[in-house]
Every structure is written in structure tokens, then in C-alpha cells.
Amino acid sequence: MTTGKDIAALVRRIETLEAEADIRRIQARYMFLCDTPNPEFGVANDAERIDLIMQLYTEDAVWEGVGEYYDNQFGRAVGADAIRKHFQGFWGGKTDPALILNCHYLTSEQIHVHENGMTADGQWVHMQPWLFSDGKALLRSSRLNNTFRKEPDGVWKITRTRTENVFVAPLPATWASDYPSKSVLMKP
């Protein structure tokens, strides 16, 4: 015979699985929106890209690079306005050499929904090849330790992005070929 306690436990398990799925989608969407060329169809420019990224964050969120390599490179941004400014600094104008290829690959996922069902943390390792217009290229790997909160409207959002360098390695100038100048993958 199923008791109220059994049903409550089952509901909690389903809520945890749904939270994990939502958090997985948020983290993957963030990485997807950070790719170059941006694969999100219809995004006209980096300002629109930043708007989409900011929809994933809470107003009180923190974005920070930590550790001996990322402290000075990325620093710490507290609050949505500061995080937006951080991204505008990254994508805010033309750079020379221009970044022409950048793709994020997530691995080693761990998501922990906390007992209250309203907060969670997640850890990932990501690999990210970079290719610049002058032919220089590198492979970057970072660890991520992020936190999330379920907002009153029931939507999970990022409350902290925390990244630490694992390594940066130069790649030969000819390591990649046949890459697109723009993405059309998501075009209807």
C-alpha cells in the first residue's frame, strides 16, 4: 500500500530529476551562446548574444575567474549589471586578431540539488579550442563550480559562475580547416 510519505518521496525524486535536467540545459545553453560563430539562429550581434546570456542569470549573480591564472584575467563581477559589463568587455568591439572559432565541450558533470529543492550546485570540466584570424590557436580547459536557484516563477537560473584554469596549450596554426564563418545550424 502506498502511503503519503511514499508519494512525497516520489514527488521529491521527480523534482530533483527535473531540477537536474533544467540546470543541465541552462549550463549547456550558456556554453552554446558563448560559441563562435554563435550558432543561435537570428542573433544579429553580440549585444543580442549578451542579452540571451543574461536571461540565464539572477540579478544578484556573481561571475568570477579564480586561481593563479584566472584571477587577473577575468576577475570578479557581482550583480547582473557588472556581469553584463564583463561580457561587453569580451564581445564589445572588434579585436585584432579576431576570434573566429571557439567551441565549448562540457564533461565530468556533477549536479547536486540541495535538500530544500530551491538551490543547487554543479561542477564541470570544459575544453575549448580557440582559433584567431591571424592563424594562432590554443586549447583551453577550465573547471566550473557553479550555483543555481529556482526563482519564484519556477525557472532555474545561475547565481554564480566560478571558473578556474586547468591548462592553456598552443595548437599548430593548421590544426583546424573547413570551419564556417557563420553558423546556420539552427535556421528553420
Side-chain angles (χ1 to χ4, degrees), residues 90-132:
F90 189 78
W91 287 302
K94 297 292 181 196
T95 59
D96 189 23
L99 178 62
I100 59 174
L101 176 72
N102 172 23
C103 191
H104 296 76
Y105 300 90
L106 287 173
T107 67
S108 307
E109 178 180 274
Q110 299 179 66
I111 298 173
H112 312 99
V113 179
H114 303 158
E115 193 62 34
N116 63 11
M118 300 300 287
T119 59
D121 62 81
Q123 294 80 40
W124 292 265
V125 174
H126 95 283
M127 299 286 285
Q128 177 184 10
W130 295 58
L131 181 60
F132 296 91

Side-chain angles (χ1 to χ4, degrees), residues 16 24 34-35 47 51 76 95 112 122 126 138 151 171 176 185 187:
T16 298
R24 186 174 296 113
C34 290
D35 286 349
D51 288 343
R76 188 170 200 261
T95 59
H112 312 99
H126 95 283
L138 60 92
E151 295 292 272
L171 293 171
L185 177 67
K187 184 177 181 179

Side-chain angles (χ1 to χ4, degrees), residues 120-160:
D121 62 81
Q123 294 80 40
W124 292 265
V125 174
H126 95 283
M127 299 286 285
Q128 177 184 10
W130 295 58
L131 181 60
F132 296 91
S133 60
D134 65 357
K136 290 185 180 171
L138 60 92
L139 180 62
R140 173 176 285 188
S141 179
S142 304
R143 292 188 196 286
L144 304 172
N145 184 3
N146 299 347
T147 58
F148 305 85
R149 180 174 65 224
K150 190 174 187 179
E151 295 292 272
D153 63 0
V155 175
W156 283 90
K157 291 198 174 191
I158 303 167
T159 57
R160 184 189 73 208

Side-chain angles (χ1 to χ4, degrees), residues 63-67 69-77 86 90 126 128 130 140 142 163-165:
W63 196 106
E64 61 185 329
V66 299
Y69 185 78
Y70 278 178
D71 279 341
N72 295 326
Q73 185 178 6
F74 293 125
R76 188 170 200 261
H86 164 76
F90 189 78
H126 95 283
Q128 177 184 10
W130 295 58
R140 173 176 285 188
S142 304
T163 181
E164 180 179 47
N165 182 58

